[in-house]
Amino acid sequence: MSFLDKLNERYATKAMNGEVVPQEKINNILEAIRLAPTSSGLQPFEVFVITNDEIKSSIKEIAWNQSQVTDCSHLFVFAAWDNYTEDRINYMFDLTNEIRGFKNEGWENYRQMLLSSYPQKDAETNFEHAARQTYIAFMAAITQAAYEGVDSTPMEGFDPNALDKILGLREKGLRSTLLLPIGYKDAAKDWLVNLVKVRKPMEKLVTFI
């Protein structure tokens, strides 16, 4: 089956059966997140993988009681940096230099450009920028899950302030942006499972210029 066939098969699973996803598949999905592109390569977010049933139940209460939150195997929580700071920017540039084993003048000039830009902006502007980066990594997770034959449900339907309190994210300099339950569909309870996938026709979506 081709990758596009996998994407055509995937959908936002509405009911999950609680079956545990093998750790190797979870690791592969997390690796896809880690490898996803982000602005300036800063990866301004963290991912929390929730398997604790008590915590999942608490999150379900502030996520419109969506059953996938508790019936999934693993619940991924994407949390963006609450701000860009000098320390956060320097960490990624220093890490790059360490791994590559050399310093590059152009790269160091780029570091200084970011240091003279991001930290001077207000925190909310920086958070909104960081939050958009989580959506890129989020899509990498969804597509890798499809490749692994694992179901998932993209979710924005939750109270982020309440979730931040449950996980203590603000104390970590983070704010929640997205939820991604990972697991296997419960076909008997999933009203969407047999419905035809609907997307715009290509001519309504793409313009060649």
Side-chain angles (χ1 to χ4, degrees):
M1 184 178 290
S2 74
F3 183 62
L4 288 179
D5 288 333
K6 290 282 190 180
L7 286 183
N8 196 50
E9 272 192 353
R10 72 143 300 278
Y11 70 103
T13 305
K14 301 304 180 184
M16 292 185 172
N17 62 15
E19 182 181 346
V20 176
V21 175
Q23 190 61 44
E24 181 181 3
K25 292 180 179 291
I26 295 298
N27 291 344
N28 289 342
I29 296 168
L30 291 171
E31 181 67 358
I33 292 170
R34 192 180 75 88
L35 294 174
T38 56
S39 179
S40 299
L42 292 178
Q43 295 180 280
F45 58 85
E46 294 183 25
V47 180
F48 295 80
V49 182
I50 314 298
T51 56
N52 181 285
D53 289 336
E54 185 176 343
I55 295 176
K56 288 200 292 187
S57 293
S58 296
I59 295 173
K60 180 181 178 182
E61 292 178 5
I62 56 92
W64 301 351
N65 287 310
Q66 296 176 85
S67 65
Q68 305 96 312
V69 172
T70 49
D71 294 341
C72 68
S73 170
H74 295 67
L75 177 65
F76 287 17
V77 178
F78 289 73
W81 290 353
D82 61 357
N83 201 358
Y84 286 101
T85 66
E86 289 187 2
D87 285 345
R88 282 171 159 170
I89 292 170
N90 280 326
Y91 170 79
M92 289 306 299
F93 278 81
D94 291 342
L95 179 64
T96 299
N97 291 341
E98 178 185 345
I99 291 175
R100 291 178 176 169
F102 64 89
K103 287 188 176 182
N104 175 278
E105 182 180 358
W107 184 238
E108 290 302 317
N109 289 340
Y110 190 67
R111 181 207 298 250
Q112 294 306 316
M113 184 187 74
L114 294 186
L115 289 173
S116 66
S117 175
Y118 280 128
Q120 283 68 48
K121 297 178 181 178
D122 67 274
E124 188 63 25
T125 296
N126 281 339
F127 164 71
E128 290 297 336
H129 182 272
R132 287 194 290 274
Q133 309 311 304
T134 67
Y135 283 79
I136 302 171
F138 191 70
M139 189 59 195
I142 294 169
T143 53
Q144 184 65 33
Y147 182 81
E148 298 288 339
V150 176
D151 296 307
S152 64
T153 310
M155 286 186 179
E156 290 183 301
F158 65 94
D159 181 340
N161 291 324
L163 181 54
D164 292 352
K165 290 180 181 178
I166 290 171
L167 298 180
L169 296 181
R170 297 299 178 99
E171 293 83 353
K172 297 179 176 70
L174 300 167
R175 294 169 60 180
S176 56
T177 57
L178 297 156
L179 295 178
L180 185 65
I182 298 288
Y184 295 103
K185 69 174 71 70
D186 185 342
K189 296 179 180 178
D190 192 337
W191 60 268
L192 190 54
V193 66
N194 290 319
L195 295 183
V196 175
K197 192 183 194 83
V198 178
R199 294 292 187 272
K200 289 179 180 179
M202 194 68 75
E203 62 270 18
K204 293 290 185 180
L205 182 67
V206 177
T207 299
F208 292 95
I209 299 176

